[in-house]
């Protein structure tokens, strides 16, 4: 063990899959909520913290961003993109009886993502919600007397000894979740095995709610040929109608272009904060089916 | 009852609060998932459907947008903005014993939103997750033998006969959730009692992933003085790196400005779809504490 890494738990969630792939040599500590995981990085109980940022199954996107911005402005030092694959799993005692399940358990978002499969193949089977896909798998493993199924990932099947009866039952093949890796020291970029590129993320607060202000801001990037891969407006916590913008630039922080764009924005009256300049990796899920 | 309205259930969630305020004369039908609620509007089992869109507690923002865009392109005919207020509630038998609770139950997002209160006032009390704030309230009402608390809204306290021991324990005063109202007929704008304004929402797909394309798109709005209150990039389901944009224009669809902006975008090679032009209302929560 080379150090400690915290993540949004419980064990065998999709966040845990991302952690296992990237931080296999670290002690992995699950946290119950996104704020408590971020707090642990801030208080140096763990070195790195991994929380979902986008299209999350087990947590909230907005919560991560808002807590980072309003509570602990910790730098992002890496991003992990994980393909989301959902499987129907049953207790091994019922390996050949998946069509006879009396109930299916899972997290509400996973249930929604497998809407077409459930509607098509198990239309009259009641679907019960749990607070995570991992808890659903745990329930099935602990209740061999019931012929029931869980929707969860491959790690959960392995962790709880379940049989994957129907793999890849999610509606969309290209669904992914983005996780951010946090560290108190912004120079500690994650040394990914496969690095797929670099991003720099800025938070920009506009001077006033005027028509075209955002257009003016984007000009600062456009004429420098700085490509933006993401832009998102988020409400300030100061009340309705006040927004700030999160912008992802598709390159590493440099010494000329990005600093001069920031200086230009500040001259226009914007406030700019650099949330991080960090590598990202796209995992293929090597977890056994 | 003048008709049927579907919403993301269960009863006494924040979505239900929004529905009760606006659709008091309708039969109100809870649905288990966002897709099933949208399906019900599409299949005309209900007239209106209400699902969370932003900063949601009981569902996923992304799920609503993605299902609307990829499955059933139903028009948005209204938007409801609800202040989020969380309360600590206990069984009336334990009205004066909230500091002695042995456990607190709630939805993971509500728990995270009351992080400071829990950390400050109930630091050593275990916090248990449930799939909704309403289920947490129900659990407390059904287990008077246990001295436990739930974090939920005022409607849940009323519905399950609980005592609000500590009102307004959420960390941020200005937290709100946005709900969209869907209807098959885009001319059926919701007749809100208090209408706070109009929005037009567009979905714009860029011609290619080139630097400055978004800047060019925003020019079409900027020089017409069309103010954007929100802009958000979302990945297409066709794989990583392909994005479309959701843009909220702060006015009603007109006959000149917005149509000509759309024509200009199409001339640039963009695809544009109008998701809706609809009124919005900001509720003050009249639900009793």
């Amino acid at each position: 063990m080379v150090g400690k890494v915290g993540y949004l738990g419980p064990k065998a969630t999709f966040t845990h899959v991302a952690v296992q792939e990237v931080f296999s040599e670290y002690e992995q500590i699950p946290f119950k909520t996104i704020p408590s995981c971020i707090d642990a990085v801030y208080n140096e109980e763990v070195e790195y913290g991994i929380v979902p940022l986008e299209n999350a199954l087990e947590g909230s996107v907005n919560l991560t961003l808002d807590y980072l911005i309003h509570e602990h402005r910790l730098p992002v030092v890496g991003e992990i993109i994980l393909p989301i694959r959902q499987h129907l799993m049953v207790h091994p005692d019922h390996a050949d009886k998946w069509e006879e399940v009396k109930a299916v358990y899972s997290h509400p978002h996973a249930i929604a993502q497998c809407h077409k499969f459930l509607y098509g193949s198990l239309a009259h089977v009641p679907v019960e919600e749990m607070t995570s896909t991992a808890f659903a798998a745990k329930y099935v493993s602990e209740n061999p007397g019931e012929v029931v199924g869980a929707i969860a990932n491959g790690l959960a099947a392995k962790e709880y000894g379940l049989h994957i009866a129907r793999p890849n039952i999610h509606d969309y093949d290209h669904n992914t979740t983005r996780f951010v890796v946090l560290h108190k020291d912004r120079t500690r970029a994650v040394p990914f095995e496969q690095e797929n590129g670099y991003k720099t993320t800025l938070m920009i607060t506009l001077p006033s709610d005027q028509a075209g202000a955002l257009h003016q801001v984007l000009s600062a990037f456009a004429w420098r040929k700085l490509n933006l891969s993401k832009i998102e407006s988020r409400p300030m916590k100061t009340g309705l109608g006040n927004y700030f913008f999160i912008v992802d630039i598709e390159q590493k922080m440099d010494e000329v272009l990005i600093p001069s764009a920031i200086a230009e924005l500040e001259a226009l009256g914007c406030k700019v904060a650099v949330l991080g300049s960090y590598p990202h990796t796209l995992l293929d899920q090597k977890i056994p089916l």
Side-chain angles (χ1 to χ4, degrees), chain A residues 121-139:
Chain A
S121 300
L122 294 171
H124 301 293
V125 176
V127 177
E128 301 295 334
E129 299 184 349
M130 296 234 163
T131 55
S132 79
T133 52
F135 278 134
K138 187 160 178 265
Y139 179 88

Side-chain angles (χ1 to χ4, degrees), chain A residues 3-127:
Chain A
K4 286 182 186 173
V5 59
Y7 67 96
L8 177 67
K11 283 173 78 170
T13 58
F14 282 93
T15 315
H16 195 192
V17 172
V19 170
Q20 283 210 336
E21 291 284 317
V22 175
F23 291 92
S24 55
E25 289 170 21
Y26 281 71
E27 185 185 346
Q28 298 160 6
I29 302 167
F31 286 85
K32 275 203 163 181
T33 66
I34 289 170
S36 61
C37 185
I38 295 176
D39 283 355
V41 180
Y42 184 79
N43 298 326
E44 299 183 27
E45 293 159 39
V46 295
E47 195 176 342
Y48 291 99
I50 287 90
V51 286
L53 183 70
E54 193 175 285
N55 198 13
L57 283 179
E58 329 269 358
S60 157
V61 179
N62 295 340
L63 195 55
T64 296
L65 210 48
D66 289 350
Y67 203 78
L68 274 182
I69 284 174
H70 297 289
E71 293 300 320
H72 298 311
R73 198 69 68 81
L74 290 172
V76 178
V77 295
E79 183 185 68
I80 303 168
I81 303 164
L82 181 75
I84 296 300
R85 302 202 179 119
Q86 306 281 9
H87 316 302
L88 178 72
M89 50 196 72
V90 294
H91 195 280
D93 293 357
H94 313 304
D96 52 351
K97 286 192 257 181
W98 73 268
E99 284 169 298
E100 296 163 38
V101 293
K102 297 289 175 287
V104 173
Y105 295 87
S106 196
H107 185 276
H109 296 185
I111 292 167
Q113 288 178 352
C114 300
H115 183 68
K116 289 187 209 171
F117 170 81
L118 290 170
Y119 192 78
S121 300
L122 294 171
H124 301 293
V125 176
V127 177

Side-chain angles (χ1 to χ4, degrees), chain A residues 186 198-203 221 227-230 246-254 258 262 273-280:
Chain A
R186 68 168 67 238
Y198 242 84
K199 277 185 198 168
T200 302
T201 300
L202 305 183
M203 172 192 166
F221 300 107
N227 202 14
L228 305 184
S229 63
K230 181 183 168 74
I246 300 291
V247 161
D248 285 354
I249 307 169
E250 282 189 332
Q251 68 168 62
K252 200 169 177 170
M253 176 61 104
D254 63 350
I258 300 178
I262 292 174
V274 181
L275 296 188
S277 185
Y278 51 88
H280 56 90

